[in-house]
Amino acid sequence: MQTLHRARDRLVGERTALINQLRAILLERGSTVPQGRRRLEQYLTTMSDPEGEASLSPRMHRLIEDMRAEWLELDRRIATFDNEFAACARNDADARRLATIPGIGVLNATALIAAIGNGQTFARGRDLAAWLGLVPRQVTTGGKPRLVGITKRGNKYLRKLIIHGARSALPVLASNATPLGEWLRALMKRVHKNAAVVALANKLARIAWAVLRRGEEFDAAAVRTEIGRNRGKGCRAATDVCWWWKARWPDSRTGVLDT
């Protein structure tokens, strides 16, 4: 399963490089396309007629059509992997439980299970978050501990998947009337959005560990945070974690009490 994920990630990288080259070709000839893969697809569809884009020569039209064909083939191969992962997730009880967590989909679930199994390797959720490089790095000088950016150690691919999942789940979770939603709303008032995404990714990793260890589905109402406990008790040192934008987000020791 991990080999399949690596093969899919290589294809995604090739597709991204191809899309970037397409944008560069169009930009060099005065055609600026809005961001987004779908926007570029729509633009290329409208200019499929060789006479539709006067700034491009016939040879450039043929080149772009060839690159579009390569793009479609990469999409087909990536979709084949996605369908295989979906079939594996449907037949795996742990993957189905992980999929109940917001931000954890088929890719995240199958990659997590392939990498850590049922989570028995880690004694607590924070150990999994540390293994993924989602915890703050400590720099101590003269006996004064200082927490800086996340360590970015461990499994880079899993960390990327979980952060992307947290980014997609953030708007929905922040609008929910749950303890997790309350924590996110309070957090987003004080920090940059990207810092909140990383903090949520840390929390999702710990929730995933708890779901795997306990063999239970995710229950948003059961998630407890330490916001109320820390509020007004001089917890500045515990939350003063600097990210690469110098934004602040709660220390990974605060959050889901699943350990």
Side-chain angles (χ1 to χ4, degrees):
M1 183 60 69
Q2 293 187 74
T3 303
L4 294 177
H5 273 278
R6 286 195 293 269
R8 181 191 180 277
D9 192 44
R10 175 182 59 82
L11 293 177
V12 172
E14 291 178 6
R15 183 176 65 182
T16 302
L18 182 64
I19 290 173
N20 289 339
Q21 189 175 45
L22 269 170
R23 286 184 176 278
I25 290 173
L26 294 172
L27 183 61
E28 288 173 349
R29 286 153 181 83
S31 299
T32 303
V33 185
Q35 283 190 335
R37 183 158 53 96
R38 301 304 176 193
R39 299 281 186 88
L40 181 58
E41 286 180 343
Q42 295 170 2
Y43 183 84
L44 293 178
T45 301
T46 59
M47 60 168 289
S48 58
D49 182 5
E51 303 298 331
E53 184 63 49
S55 61
L56 297 179
S57 66
R59 183 64 185 94
M60 286 295 102
H61 275 287
R62 293 196 301 273
L63 174 64
I64 290 175
E65 286 301 319
D66 181 68
M67 296 176 73
R68 286 185 65 194
E70 184 180 355
W71 182 357
L72 292 174
E73 176 62 17
L74 287 172
D75 282 344
R76 184 194 64 78
R77 296 173 64 185
I78 292 171
T80 301
F81 280 108
D82 292 342
N83 294 334
E84 186 174 357
F85 293 145
C88 292
R90 283 194 296 268
N91 298 325
D92 189 287
D94 286 337
R96 291 197 300 271
R97 281 191 286 268
L98 285 176
T100 62
I101 304 173
I104 302 292
V106 170
L107 287 179
N108 305 55
T110 53
L112 270 172
I113 293 173
I116 68 173
N118 58 4
Q120 296 291 334
T121 308
F122 304 96
R124 53 181 182 167
R126 189 181 186 279
D127 293 344
L128 173 58
W131 182 71
L132 293 173
L134 291 170
V135 298
R137 181 164 50 90
Q138 179 172 317
V139 178
T140 302
T141 304
K144 296 180 179 180
R146 184 167 62 93
L147 297 176
V148 292
I150 59 175
T151 64
K152 296 187 182 180
R153 295 181 179 179
N155 195 315
K156 179 181 178 180
Y157 177 69
L158 273 179
R159 182 172 64 251
K160 176 181 68 174
L161 287 181
I162 292 179
I163 288 179
H164 284 330
R167 180 174 287 108
S168 64
L170 180 65
V172 176
L173 289 176
S175 63
N176 290 344
T178 61
L180 186 57
E182 179 188 355
W183 172 75
L184 281 173
R185 287 191 294 274
L187 178 63
M188 293 175 67
K189 292 179 181 178
R190 298 183 290 111
V191 304
H192 191 279
K193 180 181 178 180
N194 288 330
V197 168
V198 175
L200 178 59
N202 181 301
K203 194 175 294 294
L204 292 181
R206 300 174 69 175
I207 294 175
W209 174 88
V211 166
L212 288 173
R213 286 291 297 266
R214 297 174 183 174
E216 301 174 355
E217 293 186 357
F218 171 71
D219 182 8
V223 175
R224 295 181 295 135
T225 63
E226 294 184 354
I227 296 176
R229 187 179 304 178
N230 288 332
R231 187 175 292 145
K233 294 186 178 180
C235 60
R236 178 184 178 89
T239 60
D240 191 10
V241 183
C242 185
W243 201 45
W244 54 80
W245 271 290
K246 302 298 182 182
R248 293 182 178 180
W249 54 286
D251 177 36
S252 58
R253 288 186 294 272
T254 66
V256 180
L257 302 181
D258 53 19
T259 59

